[in-house]
Amino acid sequence: MPSVRSRAAPPRARRRAGEIIDAAASVFAERGYHGASTQDIADVLGIRQASLYYYFGSKEEALEQVCMLGVEGFVERATAIVHAPGTATDRIRALVAVHLAPLGDRRDYVRVFLRERGHLPDVARRRVGRLSRRLERLIEEVFTAGVASGELRADLDPRLATLAMLGMCNAVPAWLPVETGLSIEAVAQALATVLLDGARGRADARRTLRRPR
Amino acid sequence: MPSVRSRAAPPRARRRAGEIIDAAASVFAERGYHGASTQDIADVLGIRQASLYYYFGSKEEALEQVCMLGVEGFVERATAIVHAPGTATDRIRALVAVHLAPLGDRRDYVRVFLRERGHLPDVARRRVGRLSRRLERLIEEVFTAGVASGELRADLDPRLATLAMLGMCNAVPAWLPVETGLSIEAVAQALATVLLDGARGRADARRTLRRPR
Amino acid sequence: MPSVRSRAAPPRARRRAGEIIDAAASVFAERGYHGASTQDIADVLGIRQASLYYYFGSKEEALEQVCMLGVEGFVERATAIVHAPGTATDRIRALVAVHLAPLGDRRDYVRVFLRERGHLPDVARRRVGRLSRRLERLIEEVFTAGVASGELRADLDPRLATLAMLGMCNAVPAWLPVETGLSIEAVAQALATVLLDGARGRADARRTLRRPR
Amino acid sequence: MPSVRSRAAPPRARRRAGEIIDAAASVFAERGYHGASTQDIADVLGIRQASLYYYFGSKEEALEQVCMLGVEGFVERATAIVHAPGTATDRIRALVAVHLAPLGDRRDYVRVFLRERGHLPDVARRRVGRLSRRLERLIEEVFTAGVASGELRADLDPRLATLAMLGMCNAVPAWLPVETGLSIEAVAQALATVLLDGARGRADARRTLRRPR
DNA sequence: CATGAATGAGCATTCATTCAT
DNA sequence: GATGAATGAATGCTCATTCAT
């Protein structure tokens, strides 16, 4: 099951097509979908605006491709984690890590997915929306299971915890390029800890943590 | 050859002007700044598009007004909280509450501030950016103080905690209208608890909480 | 025969109306008819744009009034000169003087008449055009008479001489405010001499002029 | 966040581009810069208004191009004449001739330069203004030299003579299309004679001229 | 692969004008 | 006398898109 819509192969050159979508992603990320013109994309590539239409059929289609590449893999990876053995705590840490991982090499794609998917035409928006909701449900399941097993607070609202986690994680691409000095992995670690144990930390955890530091 | 046309500044009726930017806020929130046309705003108001220009000088100016009303008061309220007596925990709870409060009557303004301020012209963007940064610094101070006093985890990165908190809170307007059944105050309570004690909760807190539920 | 179109007197206040047309003349002179907005005129007066319409019915009407005040009197004065006794030389000197005289207190009106009358609506343009042509014909008559009497060069084309004179004179308002150090009367003297005797001067005149200088 | 959008500058087809500013020149000459709409220009060409923007970036830029083509060559030709050997009289005759020559094939460009250059944006206006002033200075030099050599009247003000000459010449495009029966060269001859010897003519010249006529 | 040329639709903005107050 | 509010019509300009080459 190919993640990117397979078409009649040629005459669309695969290699160059990737550069074109890269450019689109970067421009959409920078200026927003409606704030970016196809001319802006062409400028990045050093080609004429009309030439873009050799690679995509419309600006909306370009947005759709970028968005799909922005979510692609998220659900698969989350599914694997949720179905793997381990405590809720382990799974949540892994989900956070995997959620932030693509910021390394796909930041623009992810940012565009997060902020611009709302401008997709109806059909595509719903397609993309289904993926998002599936992902949210997977995360929510982990919280629900954690509460049920007594591993997480009994009064935790799993829906709200999910949204808190997504809020924390999805904000990262907005400040990551600016706030320096931290690797993506370190950020994931720290955020997962806040999510699990809070700013005050668990009483037992604090005892362990205080000394070595 | 007058250098700058200083005209007598039409005294923009206060009452109606409020309705006009209300409409602008709602349209910008719905479709994004660049995705919204001034015609869309006029349609909401049931007036002609040209009539808008009696109330604002340009679409950009309208965005600026909406953004300013979106941050207005945030810094003041945060400052009051930070300087009030109490534990870091109290202050953080109060900050979260106060951060979410305007979502009741000003959701559109806040959403526009959060998502569209990047499209403001340079001067205005910097002005608005200064406010944001001041707010972030206030929040960070609270975390720093909490760590120093031993109330918060010694290994907590105050900068990161701030960004986590802002991520959690700023995501709320995106789902609040959809996810029903919770008052803003309840959301604030729950998010503050996650932020302070995590999904697992503090060992002592859990004992108290488990029973009544 | 009233020079300005007489109307039912009130409610048009005479005094203030003069100031309004003054402002219009100055703005039209500065920026051209189509380059000037009614707002510009209102700015000069420190009133609201809508208030102008108390004084004139349309922008075009304002232009017409300005243009009429710009030619007003020209024909009458030229007629008087042409019919007065004296040599062609005297008459031409007097025509030049009288042609430039209004530049003192009515420069804007004259400039607008000269450069903007073409933008008048058909009826008004023709009315104004008739005045211009009458003036030209008066001047041409003087040249024709001068040639006939032998006072002017036999091979002089009166039509062309007229156009040369008008060209010289009508260019003056364009540079008068800039080129300093000369009164309007002095300019008129000098231009008339060039027109009559040329840059080289008449053989006899030169003899007279050279010494005293 | 690219500060200035440097785009690959469409290589504007030379041939067609010429026709486009031809049309612009004719429309600007006819109705004035502010009185002409880009639609008017498109109508002349039989293309859509938006298509114009393939050839120029803005209406102002079109005006600038027209103005530049309107002065282009003037200074060069005047310089050549001023530096050529010959009497002041010869030079002035040549300057007048060369000044009027472009009215044959470039009347619209010259008219636009003469009447509309004031509406150019600051930078362009100054650029164009420098050319004008250089031209005026060249002409003035000839008059100054002529006075110094005794060839012209001792009491001639070279500045004023320059302005008289320019006034006479620059008025020509306004009536040339209307007043028939004279070639541009004949007009140049006649005007130069008026400028040099006046309407009365020099005493010696008159003797020669009277008889044959 | 890519481009030059052109277009149709839409957009923000300006402007002269109106009219009840 | 003058104004606040609004409007209809245009204006300059942008933009996604098309298509023959």
Side-chain angles (χ1 to χ4, degrees), chain C residues 53-128:
Chain C
Y53 286 78
Y54 186 80
Y55 295 99
F56 51 70
S58 73
K59 197 188 170 194
E60 275 179 347
E61 191 198 305
L63 176 60
E64 191 181 341
Q65 283 187 42
V66 173
C67 285
M68 288 307 274
L69 290 167
V71 251
E72 181 183 75
F74 269 71
V75 173
E76 289 79 352
R77 286 190 295 260
T79 308
I81 287 166
V82 169
H83 294 147
T87 63
T89 302
D90 292 339
R91 285 198 190 96
I92 288 167
R93 285 198 176 277
L95 282 173
V96 170
V98 113
H99 202 86
L100 296 185
L103 293 186
D105 56 337
R106 296 231 211 173
R107 199 175 59 232
D108 287 339
Y109 289 87
V110 175
R111 283 172 68 190
V112 170
F113 165 76
L114 288 173
R115 305 195 36 144
E116 310 299 331
R117 90 184 102 126
H119 298 119
L120 242 17
D122 274 10
V123 179
R125 192 173 62 244
R126 272 196 286 273
R127 186 164 43 234
V128 160

Side-chain angles (χ1 to χ4, degrees), chain A residues 24-33 63 66-71 74 99-100 102-119 169-178, chain B residues 115 118-119, chain D residues 1:
Chain A
S26 122
V27 169
F28 289 161
E30 188 84 43
R31 302 174 136 55
Y33 175 69
L63 175 60
V66 172
C67 284
M68 288 309 272
L69 290 167
V71 251
F74 269 71
H99 202 85
L100 297 184
L103 294 186
D105 56 337
R106 295 231 211 172
R107 201 176 58 233
D108 287 339
Y109 289 88
V110 175
R111 283 172 68 190
V112 171
F113 165 75
L114 289 173
R115 304 194 35 141
E116 309 299 331
R117 90 185 100 128
H119 297 119
C169 290
N170 291 342
V172 175
W175 48 261
L176 223 208
V178 177
Chain B
R115 304 195 35 142
H119 297 118
Chain D
M1 231 176 285

Side-chain angles (χ1 to χ4, degrees), chain A residues 136-205:
Chain A
E136 290 184 23
R137 237 176 290 122
L138 281 169
I139 297 174
E140 200 174 329
E141 276 174 31
V142 176
F143 281 107
T144 305
V147 171
S149 74
E151 195 181 342
L152 303 183
R153 266 172 34 216
D155 64 335
L156 187 76
D157 178 333
R159 180 81 193 121
L160 222 130
T162 302
L163 293 167
M165 169 180 151
L166 288 171
M168 274 169 42
C169 290
N170 291 342
V172 175
W175 48 261
L176 223 208
V178 177
E179 314 284 334
T180 50
L182 284 168
S183 72
I184 291 169
E185 291 78 18
V187 168
Q189 278 276 359
L191 287 184
T193 298
V194 167
L195 181 62
L196 287 163
D197 298 330
R200 297 203 283 189
R202 292 177 74 217
D204 51 353

Side-chain angles (χ1 to χ4, degrees), chain A residues 28-166:
Chain A
F28 289 161
E30 188 84 43
R31 302 174 136 55
Y33 175 69
H34 282 301
S37 71
T38 54
Q39 179 65 247
D40 293 333
I41 303 175
D43 286 350
V44 166
L45 292 160
I47 63 175
R48 313 273 154 198
Q49 179 213 22
S51 311
L52 292 173
Y53 285 78
Y54 186 81
Y55 295 99
F56 51 70
S58 72
K59 197 187 169 193
E60 275 179 348
E61 190 197 306
L63 175 60
E64 191 182 342
Q65 283 187 42
V66 172
C67 284
M68 288 309 272
L69 290 167
V71 251
E72 182 183 73
F74 269 71
V75 173
E76 289 80 350
R77 285 189 299 257
T79 308
I81 288 166
V82 169
H83 293 149
T87 64
T89 300
D90 292 340
R91 286 199 189 97
I92 288 167
R93 285 198 176 278
L95 282 173
V96 170
V98 113
H99 202 85
L100 297 184
L103 294 186
D105 56 337
R106 295 231 211 172
R107 201 176 58 233
D108 287 339
Y109 289 88
V110 175
R111 283 172 68 190
V112 171
F113 165 75
L114 289 173
R115 304 194 35 141
E116 309 299 331
R117 90 185 100 128
H119 297 119
L120 242 18
D122 273 10
V123 179
R125 192 173 63 246
R126 273 196 286 272
R127 184 163 45 232
V128 161
R130 271 193 296 275
L131 285 183
S132 302
R133 250 168 290 120
R134 204 165 345 145
L135 183 61
E136 290 184 23
R137 237 176 290 122
L138 281 169
I139 297 174
E140 200 174 329
E141 276 174 31
V142 176
F143 281 107
T144 305
V147 171
S149 74
E151 195 181 342
L152 303 183
R153 266 172 34 216
D155 64 335
L156 187 76
D157 178 333
R159 180 81 193 121
L160 222 130
T162 302
L163 293 167
M165 169 180 151
L166 288 171

Side-chain angles (χ1 to χ4, degrees), chain C residues 13 47-48 50-51 54-55:
Chain C
I47 63 175
R48 314 274 154 196
S51 311
Y54 186 80
Y55 295 99

Side-chain angles (χ1 to χ4, degrees), chain B:
Chain B
M1 230 175 286
S3 49
V4 179
R5 285 205 234 188
S6 69
R7 50 191 52 163
R12 324 235 135 127
R14 283 289 148 235
R15 183 88 33 150
R16 196 75 216 278
E19 295 168 30
I20 269 74
I21 49 159
D22 261 10
S26 120
V27 170
F28 290 160
E30 187 84 36
R31 296 148 123 87
Y33 176 68
H34 283 301
S37 73
T38 53
Q39 182 63 62
D40 294 334
I41 302 175
D43 286 350
V44 166
L45 292 160
I47 61 175
R48 310 287 148 184
Q49 181 221 25
S51 309
L52 292 173
Y53 286 78
Y54 185 76
Y55 294 97
F56 51 70
S58 71
K59 197 188 169 192
E60 274 180 348
E61 191 197 305
L63 176 59
E64 191 181 342
Q65 280 187 44
V66 172
C67 285
M68 286 311 269
L69 289 168
V71 251
E72 187 183 72
F74 268 71
V75 173
E76 289 80 351
R77 286 189 296 257
T79 308
I81 289 166
V82 170
H83 292 149
T87 62
T89 301
D90 293 339
R91 285 199 189 96
I92 289 166
R93 286 197 177 276
L95 282 172
V96 170
V98 113
H99 201 86
L100 297 184
L103 294 185
D105 57 336
R106 294 230 212 174
R107 201 174 60 233
D108 286 339
Y109 289 88
V110 175
R111 283 173 70 191
V112 170
F113 165 75
L114 288 172
R115 304 195 35 142
E116 309 300 330
R117 89 186 102 127
H119 297 118
L120 281 172
D122 274 11
V123 180
R125 192 173 62 244
R126 273 196 286 272
R127 186 164 42 232
V128 160
R130 269 193 297 274
L131 284 182
S132 302
R133 251 169 288 120
R134 202 159 356 139
L135 183 62
E136 291 185 21
R137 235 176 293 125
L138 281 169
I139 298 175
E140 198 174 332
E141 276 174 34
V142 175
F143 281 107
T144 306
V147 171
S149 73
E151 197 182 339
L152 303 183
R153 270 175 26 222
D155 63 335
L156 186 76
D157 179 332
R159 180 82 193 119
L160 223 128
T162 303
L163 293 166
M165 169 180 150
L166 288 171
M168 274 169 42
C169 291
N170 291 341
V172 175
W175 48 261
L176 223 210
V178 177
E179 315 282 336
T180 51
L182 284 169
S183 72
I184 292 170
E185 292 78 19
V187 169
Q189 279 276 0
L191 287 185
T193 298
V194 168
L195 180 62
L196 286 164
D197 298 330
R200 297 204 283 190
R202 293 177 73 218
D204 52 353
R206 291 175 74 201
R207 242 169 274 126
T208 337
L209 280 167
R210 185 92 47 94
R211 241 103 31 144
R213 235 219 166 214

